[in-house]
Amino acid sequence: MGKKKVTRREFLKDTAMVTAAAAVGPHIFVRKATAASNKKLVICSYGGSYQASQRKAFFEPFMKATGVKIVEATGPDLAKIKAQVTSGNVEWDVVDIESRIMYTAMTENLLEPIDTNIVKLDTIVKPAIHKYGIGNIAFTTALTYNKKQLKKAPKSWADFWDVKNFPGPRSLQDHAPFNLEFALIADGVNKDKLYPLDIDRAFKKMSQIKGNIDAWWESGAQSIQQLTSGAVVMSSAWNGRVNVAQSKGVPLEIVWEGAAYDWDLWAVPKGTPRKELAMQFIQFALNAKRQAYQCGKLIAYGPSNKLAYNYIDKARQKQLPTYPDNLAKQFSFNSKWWQPRLNKLNEKWAAWKIS
Amino acid sequence: MNRTHHRSFKAILFHPTAKGMLLLIPALTALIILFVIPIYRIFHLSLFDPHFTLKYYLAFFQRPVYMRVMWITVKISLIVTAACLFVGYPFALVLSRAGEKLSKLFIVCIILSMCISLLVRNFSWIIILQRSGIVDTFLMKVGLTHHHVKLLHNLFSVVLGMTEILLPYMILPIFSVLKSIDPNLPQAAQTMGARPWQAFWWVTFPLSLPGVYAGFLLVFIMSLGYFITPALLGGAREMMISNMIAFQVQTVLNWHFAAGLSMILLIATLIFYAIFNKAVGLEKLENLGV
């Protein structure tokens, strides 16, 4: 009773339908894929709240404006870019990568040069312009602290090293880049005269704080989690993530003094069959109003298009890495200096850590 | 008809002949495509750039940091294996003597625990062990300590995290061996006047050794390749060789050196395997009955 009895006829009908779908399915898929291959664009970015902001500000409007279907991927791993390019099977048409990664990819010959006939650069700030990638947003790695955990507010990296006046466990990212710069600034080196880095001096300074670093963070989420839970009282962290946590009511504070800013860039892996469309997307995403929407409303990073500031309100501007007052306090991270030294310094970093 | 067919199948199974070898073909093909060829390619990558060179192997021995990290890797793996054994053996023993329903329930729980993402489990440990975390707060509230206790980002938390994940690989083989031991044997020992612990130590335990060896080997070899857990739960000193391999693959794109490091890890694992084989005789594992 109540149960629907499946008749033999119905059963046969269903089975036939499934079988037919299974048989026809692949063909439909193949035909669609070939027909739309020029109308599809695969973009790989860093995920999380960052990619969500790109989806709203760039991906969805681009799909609407052009009818192109954007397929998203997450985690623009350098090894995957290399595997795709060297095997001649490029899946990602556009990648969002940090400048360090761009330099390595560039030396390995994994990127297409930016086509300046399509991508217009006249309103893009100079440091964002490279032959193989165009800056999309500037992000800052800054000393960040939890106001509830500290009685006094730290003002600089020197305070991060001062465990007497600012007691409590700390955290830093688990790699040499950025940290060696921070150590030198704490040791009194002028932030405009950091490069070439005095490696020995930096490691000597790092040794002073090693015992107070409770955790070496691996992912951006980890740094925020530790600061939020009070597991550490201060840490280096990315400003956009801090901003998102602040907007949720977490009492975090950024110290712009001595922070490092760096670029996330749009780049195109070598050999993509949709190169032109990829360039068109980059041009689309560099638009001032769209960048203003992303950085002004969605995530507090610094737009690369100068005109974007015209559309961002004053209060919000003060939270961005590229706001003149903030910019003056920071140094520009030098990926070019790091790229050829990365391996050697990583070995030194590992040896220093386990010693 | 049916009978002869059945017999010939049996004959193939129990008297391996040229025909019987045919049954191995699917497994061998999969093994060659998915295992032998990739390993050969990694081996090739570690030796040719583009001409024959030993520089990637020499680099490992010339720069002391790699040897030291290798030693840390072996040390952590040994501690984790020992911890799994100490926790896993009593657990398997109790389980093998529990009622059918209860032991089935526990086996299902153990297998289910293997389905939970490694990252989720590691992050759970962070939340439990961190400063002002559950354990720390509890200890301070109870008054056992007045300072924060450092439970996270040290050898302790790494061993705890890895043991929790690898424990099933110790429990399951020991359990299956214990289960296959004839319960009359320890009983016979007791009728002959042995106390329960004597019966266990002289009869049950020696018979369960194949399971212990299998569990030991599984856990130890899996530990050698770990890197997410030490990276998330460890402090500065808990660095494992896979971390260095990942760095070469992902960050500096030096795949030749990464291949060299991987081969060295593989060779080290095989050496441990050979030593182990010499010491206990792995043919005993054939009695495992799994």
Side-chain angles (χ1 to χ4, degrees), chain A residues 41-83:
Chain A
L41 196 65
V42 185
I43 303 181
C44 187
S45 181
Y46 285 102
S49 48
Y50 178 56
Q51 192 159 332
S53 74
Q54 293 179 324
R55 189 173 308 129
K56 276 185 129 175
F58 313 127
F59 303 164
E60 282 165 6
F62 188 74
M63 287 196 272
K64 232 186 205 165
T66 60
V68 171
K69 185 176 159 44
I70 288 183
V71 179
E72 290 185 47
T74 295
D77 192 358
L78 199 47
K80 285 187 194 150
I81 299 176
K82 181 173 174 174

Side-chain angles (χ1 to χ4, degrees), chain B residues 235-253:
Chain B
R237 285 184 186 85
E238 287 71 50
M239 191 185 293
M240 293 179 71
I241 196 77
S242 303
N243 278 317
M244 316 280 282
I245 298 174
F247 181 82
Q248 294 298 330
V249 172
Q250 292 172 342
T251 312
V252 287
L253 290 184

Side-chain angles (χ1 to χ4, degrees), chain A residues 77-79 82-83 108 149 169 214-216 218 222 225 229-231 342-343 346-347 350-351 353-355, chain B residues 63 65-66 68-69 72 126 130-131 150 153 231-232 236-237 239 244 247-253 255 257:
Chain A
D77 192 358
L78 199 47
K82 181 173 174 174
E108 294 267 336
Q149 302 282 331
D214 220 49
W216 299 93
E218 294 274 334
Q222 210 182 340
Q225 187 270 336
S229 68
L342 208 50
N343 191 31
N346 176 63
E347 277 175 9
K353 255 180 76 185
I354 60 176
S355 66
Chain B
R63 302 185 215 151
V65 62
Y66 293 102
R68 291 238 294 281
V69 172
I72 295 174
I126 291 179
Q130 73 187 2
R131 193 176 117 116
K150 190 166 162 51
H153 300 302
L232 284 175
R237 285 184 186 85
M239 191 185 293
M244 316 280 282
F247 181 82
Q248 294 298 330
V249 172
Q250 292 172 342
T251 312
V252 287
L253 290 184
W255 290 3
F257 191 34

Side-chain angles (χ1 to χ4, degrees), chain A residues 1-152:
Chain A
M1 288 282 287
K3 253 189 207 168
K4 199 182 155 207
K5 212 176 155 196
V6 180
T7 62
R8 187 185 142 85
R9 180 182 288 262
E10 268 169 344
F11 176 75
L12 280 177
K13 202 173 79 187
D14 288 351
T15 323
M17 256 160 68
V18 171
T19 319
V24 174
H27 300 286
I28 291 176
F29 178 72
V30 168
R31 210 187 304 145
K32 247 191 188 161
T34 41
S37 66
N38 298 322
K39 286 277 170 200
K40 186 183 90 172
L41 196 65
V42 185
I43 303 181
C44 187
S45 181
Y46 285 102
S49 48
Y50 178 56
Q51 192 159 332
S53 74
Q54 293 179 324
R55 189 173 308 129
K56 276 185 129 175
F58 313 127
F59 303 164
E60 282 165 6
F62 188 74
M63 287 196 272
K64 232 186 205 165
T66 60
V68 171
K69 185 176 159 44
I70 288 183
V71 179
E72 290 185 47
T74 295
D77 192 358
L78 199 47
K80 285 187 194 150
I81 299 176
K82 181 173 174 174
Q84 289 180 18
V85 173
T86 50
S87 70
N89 184 16
V90 180
E91 284 171 44
W92 298 338
D93 306 310
V94 179
V95 287
D96 176 314
I97 45 179
E98 283 181 46
S99 63
R100 256 174 312 142
I101 296 181
M102 186 203 69
Y103 274 105
T104 311
M106 210 174 82
T107 19
E108 294 267 336
N109 202 15
L110 301 176
L111 299 175
E112 294 279 359
I114 298 296
D115 184 349
T116 46
N117 290 323
I118 300 176
V119 182
K120 297 287 168 235
L121 302 171
D122 35 316
T123 59
I124 305 300
V125 293
K126 268 250 166 64
I129 300 174
H130 299 271
K131 199 176 166 197
Y132 292 91
I134 303 299
N136 151 29
I137 51 96
F139 70 98
T140 289
T141 310
L143 167 52
T144 306
Y145 62 96
N146 187 325
K147 280 191 273 190
K148 269 199 185 147
Q149 302 282 331
L150 285 174
K151 286 185 192 116
K152 265 196 292 184

